[in-house]
Structure formats: structure tokens, C-alpha cells
Amino acid sequence: DAALRLERCRERGIEYNRRSTGGGTVIMGPEIVALGLGINVDYPGLKGGLGGVFEPLAHVLSKALEGFDIQSYFQPKNDLEVAGKKIAGLSAAYETGKGLLFHTSLLVDFDVPLMTDIMNTPLIKLSDKGYNCFSQRMTTVCQELGEEIPVKQVVDAIEISFQEEFGVVFQKDEPDDWERE
């Protein structure tokens, strides 16, 4: 109730839940890249500890966006920004031992009217950052490019960036029966 106008979500058929990594409210949709990684905090290239994953992984996303001539940068504690506007939020939480869940929501495009209709974000939360509306605080890949771009094209660029930065190769796979269940 504090974050969302739940009656409006129900009226629109919008599902909602609380994510394990915490953080602010995120509205997901087909124009948002939702990336989740299970990763060891001691993995080479990370800075160690929970907070040490944000900057290196934000760098990977920045390199992917550079391929579209979008200059982004890590803004502590956990945002990726373009000219002072948030294009992605980063989050992480320990799962077990040194294993953590990292995730990000990168805005390829976004429905601002939907967000303002269903969210209960107090104006003070935005005004304390010098903004008086969501559209001044956020940007999207499409907005930065001035044109639409397929989400898959952004996903492919992120995958390549991860492979180059960490020397990994992702393998396509389908969930098995246990994972589906």
C-alpha cells in the first residue's frame, strides 16, 4: 500500500510482488530489460562484497549502451545514469554464503503515465533529488536515441558486453522440469 495504488493495479490487471533484493518500486513490462545474475562476490573483476558488484556491472551496461552512442555512468549507490537521469536501477542481495543475486531493470522504453497512475511515490522522494516529476528523473534508450529500438538488440549488446568484460560465454538453454515447477 505504501508504494502502489493497489486498487488501480487490480483494475488494470497488473500483478505485483516484493523482490528479495529490496529497493524502490520497479514497473516491469515488455520494453524493460530485466537482467538477473547469480554471482560469487569474489568473482574476478568485481570489487568484493555486496557493494562491490554495482560499479563493475554498471560498467558492463555502460559499454553496451556506448554501442548505441549513449554515454552512461555509474551513480552511487546503485543507479546507471545518462546526463543526470536514471536509465537503470541496480540491486543485489546475498542469497547464500558468497553467492548473491544481482539484478537490474534497464529502461529501453517506459510508460510514464502508467507509472504515475499506479504509484504512490511521494513528491518529497523526487523533490529531494531536485525533480518535480518522474519524467525529469528518468530516461530511456529510445528517448536518448530519439527513435524506437528493439529490446532484443539491447539485450544482445548487453550479452556481448558481459562476454567481453568478464571473458564468459553465455549458453542458451531452456528451463528443465524442476525449474519450471
Side-chain angles (χ1 to χ4, degrees):
D1 286 327
L4 294 172
R5 296 175 179 139
L6 297 178
E7 72 287 346
R8 291 187 185 175
C9 291
R10 288 185 204 102
E11 288 168 6
R12 290 171 168 260
I14 296 172
E15 296 178 20
Y16 51 89
N17 65 33
R18 168 77 62 196
R19 62 182 176 210
S20 64
T21 54
T25 304
V26 177
I27 297 177
M28 302 304 298
E31 302 296 318
I32 297 174
V33 175
L35 172 67
L37 296 173
I39 193 164
N40 186 308
V41 294
D42 293 333
Y43 194 85
L46 300 179
K47 294 184 175 183
L50 186 64
V53 302
F54 293 121
E55 188 171 1
L57 295 178
H59 176 74
V60 170
L61 298 171
S62 289
K63 294 296 283 180
L65 292 175
E66 279 180 20
F68 302 103
D69 291 325
I70 297 173
Q71 302 304 310
S72 62
Y73 54 89
F74 174 64
Q75 179 63 43
K77 127 177 162 181
N78 60 344
D79 287 341
L80 185 66
E81 293 189 355
V82 175
K85 293 183 176 188
K86 184 175 182 173
I87 196 165
L90 314 171
S91 188
Y94 279 110
E95 294 293 309
T96 57
K98 293 185 177 192
L100 61 85
L101 171 63
F102 167 85
H103 69 85
T104 184
S105 303
L106 176 70
L107 305 177
V108 177
D109 206 357
F110 193 71
D111 188 343
V112 173
L114 171 65
M115 182 177 69
T116 56
D117 182 50
I118 67 171
M119 285 187 62
N120 270 336
T121 302
L123 187 56
I124 189 71
K125 182 165 179 157
L126 295 172
S127 61
D128 71 346
K129 297 179 185 207
Y131 299 98
N132 60 13
C133 73
F134 288 109
S135 60
Q136 290 181 327
R137 169 72 179 118
M138 298 167 43
T139 190
T140 67
V141 173
C142 292
Q143 185 176 340
E144 293 300 314
L145 295 176
E147 63 183 339
E148 290 185 20
I149 183 170
V151 171
K152 180 161 180 7
Q153 193 172 343
V154 177
V155 169
D156 290 346
I158 293 170
E159 181 177 342
I160 290 166
S161 184
F162 264 101
Q163 291 176 354
E164 290 173 353
E165 187 71 20
F166 289 102
V168 297
V169 176
F170 291 103
Q171 296 176 352
K172 307 276 185 219
D173 198 1
E174 294 293 323
D176 61 28
D177 291 340
W178 179 82
E179 291 167 328
R180 278 191 199 92
E181 190 177 308

PDB file of all heavy atoms in Angstrom, residues 131-162:
ATOM      1  N   TYR A 131      13.907  17.090  -8.474  1.00  0.00           N
ATOM      2  CA  TYR A 131      12.982  16.844  -9.572  1.00  0.00           C
ATOM      3  C   TYR A 131      11.559  17.015  -9.076  1.00  0.00           C
ATOM      4  O   TYR A 131      11.247  16.681  -7.949  1.00  0.00           O
ATOM      5  CB  TYR A 131      13.153  15.420 -10.116  1.00  0.00           C
ATOM      6  CG  TYR A 131      14.529  15.156 -10.650  1.00  0.00           C
ATOM      7  CD1 TYR A 131      15.483  14.503  -9.874  1.00  0.00           C
ATOM      8  CD2 TYR A 131      14.888  15.580 -11.913  1.00  0.00           C
ATOM      9  CE1 TYR A 131      16.762  14.271 -10.361  1.00  0.00           C
ATOM     10  CE2 TYR A 131      16.160  15.348 -12.402  1.00  0.00           C
ATOM     11  CZ  TYR A 131      17.086  14.693 -11.622  1.00  0.00           C
ATOM     12  OH  TYR A 131      18.343  14.472 -12.104  1.00  0.00           O
ATOM     13  N   ASN A 132      10.683  17.495  -9.964  1.00  0.00           N
ATOM     14  CA  ASN A 132       9.291  17.616  -9.554  1.00  0.00           C
ATOM     15  C   ASN A 132       8.381  16.677 -10.323  1.00  0.00           C
ATOM     16  O   ASN A 132       7.192  16.700 -10.139  1.00  0.00           O
ATOM     17  CB  ASN A 132       8.812  19.063  -9.660  1.00  0.00           C
ATOM     18  CG  ASN A 132       8.910  19.595 -11.069  1.00  0.00           C
ATOM     19  OD1 ASN A 132       9.110  18.843 -12.011  1.00  0.00           O
ATOM     20  ND2 ASN A 132       8.786  20.899 -11.220  1.00  0.00           N
ATOM     21  N   CYS A 133       8.937  15.847 -11.209  1.00  0.00           N
ATOM     22  CA  CYS A 133       8.128  14.820 -11.853  1.00  0.00           C
ATOM     23  C   CYS A 133       9.025  13.691 -12.343  1.00  0.00           C
ATOM     24  O   CYS A 133      10.219  13.882 -12.541  1.00  0.00           O
ATOM     25  CB  CYS A 133       7.286  15.385 -12.989  1.00  0.00           C
ATOM     26  SG  CYS A 133       8.197  15.805 -14.461  1.00  0.00           S
ATOM     27  N   PHE A 134       8.424  12.508 -12.518  1.00  0.00           N
ATOM     28  CA  PHE A 134       9.188  11.335 -12.903  1.00  0.00           C
ATOM     29  C   PHE A 134       9.937  11.538 -14.210  1.00  0.00           C
ATOM     30  O   PHE A 134      11.064  11.101 -14.349  1.00  0.00           O
ATOM     31  CB  PHE A 134       8.251  10.124 -13.063  1.00  0.00           C
ATOM     32  CG  PHE A 134       7.731   9.589 -11.778  1.00  0.00           C
ATOM     33  CD1 PHE A 134       6.403   9.755 -11.436  1.00  0.00           C
ATOM     34  CD2 PHE A 134       8.560   8.913 -10.907  1.00  0.00           C
ATOM     35  CE1 PHE A 134       5.918   9.246 -10.252  1.00  0.00           C
ATOM     36  CE2 PHE A 134       8.077   8.401  -9.719  1.00  0.00           C
ATOM     37  CZ  PHE A 134       6.749   8.568  -9.390  1.00  0.00           C
ATOM     38  N   SER A 135       9.303  12.177 -15.181  1.00  0.00           N
ATOM     39  CA  SER A 135       9.923  12.292 -16.493  1.00  0.00           C
ATOM     40  C   SER A 135      11.204  13.117 -16.466  1.00  0.00           C
ATOM     41  O   SER A 135      12.032  12.996 -17.358  1.00  0.00           O
ATOM     42  CB  SER A 135       8.936  12.872 -17.508  1.00  0.00           C
ATOM     43  OG  SER A 135       8.517  14.154 -17.098  1.00  0.00           O
ATOM     44  N   GLN A 136      11.376  13.953 -15.452  1.00  0.00           N
ATOM     45  CA  GLN A 136      12.630  14.698 -15.326  1.00  0.00           C
ATOM     46  C   GLN A 136      13.717  13.859 -14.680  1.00  0.00           C
ATOM     47  O   GLN A 136      14.887  14.169 -14.806  1.00  0.00           O
ATOM     48  CB  GLN A 136      12.421  15.965 -14.489  1.00  0.00           C
ATOM     49  CG  GLN A 136      11.595  17.011 -15.177  1.00  0.00           C
ATOM     50  CD  GLN A 136      11.440  18.239 -14.301  1.00  0.00           C
ATOM     51  OE1 GLN A 136      11.386  18.145 -13.083  1.00  0.00           O
ATOM     52  NE2 GLN A 136      11.376  19.391 -14.928  1.00  0.00           N
ATOM     53  N   ARG A 137      13.348  12.813 -13.992  1.00  0.00           N
ATOM     54  CA  ARG A 137      14.303  11.984 -13.257  1.00  0.00           C
ATOM     55  C   ARG A 137      14.763  10.772 -14.060  1.00  0.00           C
ATOM     56  O   ARG A 137      15.770  10.177 -13.774  1.00  0.00           O
ATOM     57  CB  ARG A 137      13.649  11.535 -11.936  1.00  0.00           C
ATOM     58  CG  ARG A 137      14.373  10.485 -11.158  1.00  0.00           C
ATOM     59  CD  ARG A 137      15.648  11.023 -10.505  1.00  0.00           C
ATOM     60  NE  ARG A 137      16.290   9.958  -9.748  1.00  0.00           N
ATOM     61  CZ  ARG A 137      17.492   9.489 -10.017  1.00  0.00           C
ATOM     62  NH1 ARG A 137      18.209   9.966 -10.994  1.00  0.00           N
ATOM     63  NH2 ARG A 137      18.012   8.524  -9.296  1.00  0.00           N
ATOM     64  N   MET A 138      13.988  10.374 -15.077  1.00  0.00           N
ATOM     65  CA  MET A 138      14.269   9.139 -15.802  1.00  0.00           C
ATOM     66  C   MET A 138      14.471   9.400 -17.286  1.00  0.00           C
ATOM     67  O   MET A 138      13.976  10.378 -17.831  1.00  0.00           O
ATOM     68  CB  MET A 138      13.095   8.174 -15.629  1.00  0.00           C
ATOM     69  CG  MET A 138      12.863   7.773 -14.203  1.00  0.00           C
ATOM     70  SD  MET A 138      11.276   6.954 -13.953  1.00  0.00           S
ATOM     71  CE  MET A 138      11.173   5.858 -15.319  1.00  0.00           C
ATOM     72  N   THR A 139      15.187   8.464 -17.921  1.00  0.00           N
ATOM     73  CA  THR A 139      15.308   8.469 -19.364  1.00  0.00           C
ATOM     74  C   THR A 139      15.274   7.025 -19.844  1.00  0.00           C
ATOM     75  O   THR A 139      15.327   6.096 -19.046  1.00  0.00           O
ATOM     76  CB  THR A 139      16.590   9.187 -19.836  1.00  0.00           C
ATOM     77  OG1 THR A 139      16.522   9.371 -21.262  1.00  0.00           O
ATOM     78  CG2 THR A 139      17.855   8.421 -19.467  1.00  0.00           C
ATOM     79  N   THR A 140      15.173   6.846 -21.138  1.00  0.00           N
ATOM     80  CA  THR A 140      15.141   5.517 -21.733  1.00  0.00           C
ATOM     81  C   THR A 140      16.087   5.477 -22.926  1.00  0.00           C
ATOM     82  O   THR A 140      16.511   6.520 -23.438  1.00  0.00           O
ATOM     83  CB  THR A 140      13.720   5.160 -22.220  1.00  0.00           C
ATOM     84  OG1 THR A 140      13.389   6.015 -23.322  1.00  0.00           O
ATOM     85  CG2 THR A 140      12.683   5.310 -21.110  1.00  0.00           C
ATOM     86  N   VAL A 141      16.392   4.273 -23.367  1.00  0.00           N
ATOM     87  CA  VAL A 141      17.230   4.119 -24.554  1.00  0.00           C
ATOM     88  C   VAL A 141      16.552   4.802 -25.740  1.00  0.00           C
ATOM     89  O   VAL A 141      17.179   5.559 -26.482  1.00  0.00           O
ATOM     90  CB  VAL A 141      17.509   2.626 -24.848  1.00  0.00           C
ATOM     91  CG1 VAL A 141      18.233   2.458 -26.176  1.00  0.00           C
ATOM     92  CG2 VAL A 141      18.318   1.991 -23.709  1.00  0.00           C
ATOM     93  N   CYS A 142      15.250   4.563 -25.902  1.00  0.00           N
ATOM     94  CA  CYS A 142      14.518   5.164 -27.025  1.00  0.00           C
ATOM     95  C   CYS A 142      14.533   6.690 -26.952  1.00  0.00           C
ATOM     96  O   CYS A 142      14.701   7.365 -27.969  1.00  0.00           O
ATOM     97  CB  CYS A 142      13.084   4.650 -27.063  1.00  0.00           C
ATOM     98  SG  CYS A 142      12.951   2.897 -27.497  1.00  0.00           S
ATOM     99  N   GLN A 143      14.356   7.224 -25.759  1.00  0.00           N
ATOM    100  CA  GLN A 143      14.370   8.681 -25.598  1.00  0.00           C
ATOM    101  C   GLN A 143      15.741   9.245 -25.958  1.00  0.00           C
ATOM    102  O   GLN A 143      15.841  10.267 -26.640  1.00  0.00           O
ATOM    103  CB  GLN A 143      14.013   9.044 -24.159  1.00  0.00           C
ATOM    104  CG  GLN A 143      13.888  10.536 -23.923  1.00  0.00           C
ATOM    105  CD  GLN A 143      13.425  10.834 -22.496  1.00  0.00           C
ATOM    106  OE1 GLN A 143      12.859   9.980 -21.816  1.00  0.00           O
ATOM    107  NE2 GLN A 143      13.668  12.039 -22.052  1.00  0.00           N
ATOM    108  N   GLU A 144      16.791   8.578 -25.534  1.00  0.00           N
ATOM    109  CA  GLU A 144      18.142   9.053 -25.828  1.00  0.00           C
ATOM    110  C   GLU A 144      18.455   8.966 -27.317  1.00  0.00           C
ATOM    111  O   GLU A 144      19.156   9.821 -27.853  1.00  0.00           O
ATOM    112  CB  GLU A 144      19.182   8.277 -25.016  1.00  0.00           C
ATOM    113  CG  GLU A 144      19.104   8.534 -23.527  1.00  0.00           C
ATOM    114  CD  GLU A 144      19.307   9.995 -23.155  1.00  0.00           C
ATOM    115  OE1 GLU A 144      20.246  10.626 -23.688  1.00  0.00           O
ATOM    116  OE2 GLU A 144      18.519  10.521 -22.340  1.00  0.00           O
ATOM    117  N   LEU A 145      17.938   7.939 -27.979  1.00  0.00           N
ATOM    118  CA  LEU A 145      18.185   7.773 -29.414  1.00  0.00           C
ATOM    119  C   LEU A 145      17.239   8.607 -30.274  1.00  0.00           C
ATOM    120  O   LEU A 145      17.527   8.852 -31.438  1.00  0.00           O
ATOM    121  CB  LEU A 145      18.037   6.297 -29.805  1.00  0.00           C
ATOM    122  CG  LEU A 145      19.057   5.337 -29.209  1.00  0.00           C
ATOM    123  CD1 LEU A 145      18.730   3.899 -29.615  1.00  0.00           C
ATOM    124  CD2 LEU A 145      20.470   5.713 -29.641  1.00  0.00           C
ATOM    125  N   GLY A 146      16.102   8.989 -29.712  1.00  0.00           N
ATOM    126  CA  GLY A 146      15.109   9.713 -30.490  1.00  0.00           C
ATOM    127  C   GLY A 146      14.357   8.827 -31.450  1.00  0.00           C
ATOM    128  O   GLY A 146      13.751   9.301 -32.412  1.00  0.00           O
ATOM    129  N   GLU A 147      14.394   7.521 -31.203  1.00  0.00           N
ATOM    130  CA  GLU A 147      13.689   6.550 -32.044  1.00  0.00           C
ATOM    131  C   GLU A 147      13.509   5.242 -31.285  1.00  0.00           C
ATOM    132  O   GLU A 147      14.187   5.000 -30.285  1.00  0.00           O
ATOM    133  CB  GLU A 147      14.455   6.289 -33.342  1.00  0.00           C
ATOM    134  CG  GLU A 147      15.823   5.664 -33.123  1.00  0.00           C
ATOM    135  CD  GLU A 147      16.601   5.473 -34.414  1.00  0.00           C
ATOM    136  OE1 GLU A 147      15.999   5.436 -35.492  1.00  0.00           O
ATOM    137  OE2 GLU A 147      17.823   5.345 -34.327  1.00  0.00           O
ATOM    138  N   GLU A 148      12.607   4.411 -31.772  1.00  0.00           N
ATOM    139  CA  GLU A 148      12.379   3.109 -31.159  1.00  0.00           C
ATOM    140  C   GLU A 148      13.513   2.164 -31.541  1.00  0.00           C
ATOM    141  O   GLU A 148      14.098   2.278 -32.613  1.00  0.00           O
ATOM    142  CB  GLU A 148      11.039   2.527 -31.613  1.00  0.00           C
ATOM    143  CG  GLU A 148       9.857   3.283 -31.040  1.00  0.00           C
ATOM    144  CD  GLU A 148       8.533   2.633 -31.387  1.00  0.00           C
ATOM    145  OE1 GLU A 148       8.512   1.430 -31.725  1.00  0.00           O
ATOM    146  OE2 GLU A 148       7.511   3.339 -31.307  1.00  0.00           O
ATOM    147  N   ILE A 149      13.780   1.235 -30.638  1.00  0.00           N
ATOM    148  CA  ILE A 149      14.800   0.215 -30.876  1.00  0.00           C
ATOM    149  C   ILE A 149      14.281  -1.097 -30.286  1.00  0.00           C
ATOM    150  O   ILE A 149      13.687  -1.092 -29.208  1.00  0.00           O
ATOM    151  CB  ILE A 149      16.154   0.624 -30.258  1.00  0.00           C
ATOM    152  CG1 ILE A 149      17.231  -0.401 -30.583  1.00  0.00           C
ATOM    153  CG2 ILE A 149      16.048   0.838 -28.775  1.00  0.00           C
ATOM    154  CD1 ILE A 149      18.633   0.055 -30.216  1.00  0.00           C
ATOM    155  N   PRO A 150      14.493  -2.199 -30.972  1.00  0.00           N
ATOM    156  CA  PRO A 150      14.018  -3.482 -30.421  1.00  0.00           C
ATOM    157  C   PRO A 150      14.751  -3.837 -29.128  1.00  0.00           C
ATOM    158  O   PRO A 150      15.973  -3.683 -29.030  1.00  0.00           O
ATOM    159  CB  PRO A 150      14.360  -4.491 -31.519  1.00  0.00           C
ATOM    160  CG  PRO A 150      14.578  -3.684 -32.759  1.00  0.00           C
ATOM    161  CD  PRO A 150      15.066  -2.341 -32.303  1.00  0.00           C
ATOM    162  N   VAL A 151      14.008  -4.334 -28.155  1.00  0.00           N
ATOM    163  CA  VAL A 151      14.599  -4.741 -26.876  1.00  0.00           C
ATOM    164  C   VAL A 151      15.673  -5.804 -27.113  1.00  0.00           C
ATOM    165  O   VAL A 151      16.735  -5.782 -26.481  1.00  0.00           O
ATOM    166  CB  VAL A 151      13.510  -5.248 -25.912  1.00  0.00           C
ATOM    167  CG1 VAL A 151      14.126  -5.871 -24.667  1.00  0.00           C
ATOM    168  CG2 VAL A 151      12.570  -4.116 -25.533  1.00  0.00           C
ATOM    169  N   LYS A 152      15.434  -6.719 -28.036  1.00  0.00           N
ATOM    170  CA  LYS A 152      16.405  -7.785 -28.320  1.00  0.00           C
ATOM    171  C   LYS A 152      17.752  -7.207 -28.724  1.00  0.00           C
ATOM    172  O   LYS A 152      18.801  -7.758 -28.375  1.00  0.00           O
ATOM    173  CB  LYS A 152      15.894  -8.731 -29.388  1.00  0.00           C
ATOM    174  CG  LYS A 152      16.902  -9.840 -29.679  1.00  0.00           C
ATOM    175  CD  LYS A 152      16.326 -11.021 -30.351  1.00  0.00           C
ATOM    176  CE  LYS A 152      17.286 -12.141 -30.650  1.00  0.00           C
ATOM    177  NZ  LYS A 152      18.627 -12.111 -30.165  1.00  0.00           N
ATOM    178  N   GLN A 153      17.762  -6.125 -29.447  1.00  0.00           N
ATOM    179  CA  GLN A 153      19.016  -5.509 -29.864  1.00  0.00           C
ATOM    180  C   GLN A 153      19.803  -5.010 -28.640  1.00  0.00           C
ATOM    181  O   GLN A 153      21.021  -5.139 -28.571  1.00  0.00           O
ATOM    182  CB  GLN A 153      18.733  -4.347 -30.828  1.00  0.00           C
ATOM    183  CG  GLN A 153      19.938  -3.849 -31.558  1.00  0.00           C
ATOM    184  CD  GLN A 153      19.561  -2.827 -32.627  1.00  0.00           C
ATOM    185  OE1 GLN A 153      18.411  -2.715 -33.043  1.00  0.00           O
ATOM    186  NE2 GLN A 153      20.546  -2.078 -33.067  1.00  0.00           N
ATOM    187  N   VAL A 154      19.108  -4.471 -27.657  1.00  0.00           N
ATOM    188  CA  VAL A 154      19.748  -4.021 -26.427  1.00  0.00           C
ATOM    189  C   VAL A 154      20.245  -5.223 -25.625  1.00  0.00           C
ATOM    190  O   VAL A 154      21.367  -5.221 -25.114  1.00  0.00           O
ATOM    191  CB  VAL A 154      18.794  -3.142 -25.593  1.00  0.00           C
ATOM    192  CG1 VAL A 154      19.432  -2.739 -24.274  1.00  0.00           C
ATOM    193  CG2 VAL A 154      18.365  -1.908 -26.386  1.00  0.00           C
ATOM    194  N   VAL A 155      19.432  -6.267 -25.532  1.00  0.00           N
ATOM    195  CA  VAL A 155      19.822  -7.485 -24.821  1.00  0.00           C
ATOM    196  C   VAL A 155      21.074  -8.087 -25.449  1.00  0.00           C
ATOM    197  O   VAL A 155      22.016  -8.488 -24.750  1.00  0.00           O
ATOM    198  CB  VAL A 155      18.666  -8.513 -24.794  1.00  0.00           C
ATOM    199  CG1 VAL A 155      19.141  -9.874 -24.291  1.00  0.00           C
ATOM    200  CG2 VAL A 155      17.524  -8.000 -23.945  1.00  0.00           C
ATOM    201  N   ASP A 156      21.124  -8.152 -26.764  1.00  0.00           N
ATOM    202  CA  ASP A 156      22.293  -8.701 -27.450  1.00  0.00           C
ATOM    203  C   ASP A 156      23.544  -7.879 -27.141  1.00  0.00           C
ATOM    204  O   ASP A 156      24.625  -8.442 -26.927  1.00  0.00           O
ATOM    205  CB  ASP A 156      22.060  -8.748 -28.961  1.00  0.00           C
ATOM    206  CG  ASP A 156      21.025  -9.796 -29.361  1.00  0.00           C
ATOM    207  OD1 ASP A 156      20.675 -10.671 -28.532  1.00  0.00           O
ATOM    208  OD2 ASP A 156      20.545  -9.729 -30.522  1.00  0.00           O
ATOM    209  N   ALA A 157      23.417  -6.565 -27.103  1.00  0.00           N
ATOM    210  CA  ALA A 157      24.562  -5.698 -26.792  1.00  0.00           C
ATOM    211  C   ALA A 157      25.041  -5.924 -25.359  1.00  0.00           C
ATOM    212  O   ALA A 157      26.252  -5.936 -25.095  1.00  0.00           O
ATOM    213  CB  ALA A 157      24.182  -4.232 -27.006  1.00  0.00           C
ATOM    214  N   ILE A 158      24.113  -6.132 -24.428  1.00  0.00           N
ATOM    215  CA  ILE A 158      24.482  -6.401 -23.034  1.00  0.00           C
ATOM    216  C   ILE A 158      25.209  -7.741 -22.939  1.00  0.00           C
ATOM    217  O   ILE A 158      26.227  -7.859 -22.253  1.00  0.00           O
ATOM    218  CB  ILE A 158      23.234  -6.376 -22.126  1.00  0.00           C
ATOM    219  CG1 ILE A 158      22.654  -4.959 -22.061  1.00  0.00           C
ATOM    220  CG2 ILE A 158      23.576  -6.888 -20.727  1.00  0.00           C
ATOM    221  CD1 ILE A 158      21.289  -4.878 -21.398  1.00  0.00           C
ATOM    222  N   GLU A 159      24.706  -8.732 -23.631  1.00  0.00           N
ATOM    223  CA  GLU A 159      25.340 -10.055 -23.613  1.00  0.00           C
ATOM    224  C   GLU A 159      26.779  -9.965 -24.123  1.00  0.00           C
ATOM    225  O   GLU A 159      27.706 -10.496 -23.497  1.00  0.00           O
ATOM    226  CB  GLU A 159      24.533 -11.040 -24.457  1.00  0.00           C
ATOM    227  CG  GLU A 159      25.113 -12.436 -24.454  1.00  0.00           C
ATOM    228  CD  GLU A 159      24.266 -13.422 -25.244  1.00  0.00           C
ATOM    229  OE1 GLU A 159      23.088 -13.150 -25.521  1.00  0.00           O
ATOM    230  OE2 GLU A 159      24.810 -14.497 -25.570  1.00  0.00           O
ATOM    231  N   ILE A 160      26.990  -9.287 -25.212  1.00  0.00           N
ATOM    232  CA  ILE A 160      28.340  -9.123 -25.768  1.00  0.00           C
ATOM    233  C   ILE A 160      29.232  -8.377 -24.787  1.00  0.00           C
ATOM    234  O   ILE A 160      30.390  -8.749 -24.575  1.00  0.00           O
ATOM    235  CB  ILE A 160      28.279  -8.397 -27.131  1.00  0.00           C
ATOM    236  CG1 ILE A 160      27.646  -9.319 -28.180  1.00  0.00           C
ATOM    237  CG2 ILE A 160      29.663  -7.940 -27.573  1.00  0.00           C
ATOM    238  CD1 ILE A 160      27.236  -8.618 -29.457  1.00  0.00           C
ATOM    239  N   SER A 161      28.708  -7.355 -24.168  1.00  0.00           N
ATOM    240  CA  SER A 161      29.482  -6.584 -23.211  1.00  0.00           C
ATOM    241  C   SER A 161      29.916  -7.440 -22.019  1.00  0.00           C
ATOM    242  O   SER A 161      31.059  -7.367 -21.567  1.00  0.00           O
ATOM    243  CB  SER A 161      28.677  -5.372 -22.745  1.00  0.00           C
ATOM    244  OG  SER A 161      29.453  -4.561 -21.887  1.00  0.00           O
ATOM    245  N   PHE A 162      29.008  -8.275 -21.493  1.00  0.00           N
ATOM    246  CA  PHE A 162      29.365  -9.190 -20.402  1.00  0.00           C
ATOM    247  C   PHE A 162      30.443 -10.157 -20.847  1.00  0.00           C
ATOM    248  O   PHE A 162      31.405 -10.416 -20.118  1.00  0.00           O
ATOM    249  CB  PHE A 162      28.138  -9.969 -19.917  1.00  0.00           C
ATOM    250  CG  PHE A 162      27.468  -9.359 -18.730  1.00  0.00           C
ATOM    251  CD1 PHE A 162      26.314  -8.612 -18.893  1.00  0.00           C
ATOM    252  CD2 PHE A 162      27.983  -9.520 -17.450  1.00  0.00           C
ATOM    253  CE1 PHE A 162      25.681  -8.041 -17.796  1.00  0.00           C
ATOM    254  CE2 PHE A 162      27.362  -8.952 -16.353  1.00  0.00           C
ATOM    255  CZ  PHE A 162      26.208  -8.207 -16.532  1.00  0.00           C
TER     256      PHE A 162
END
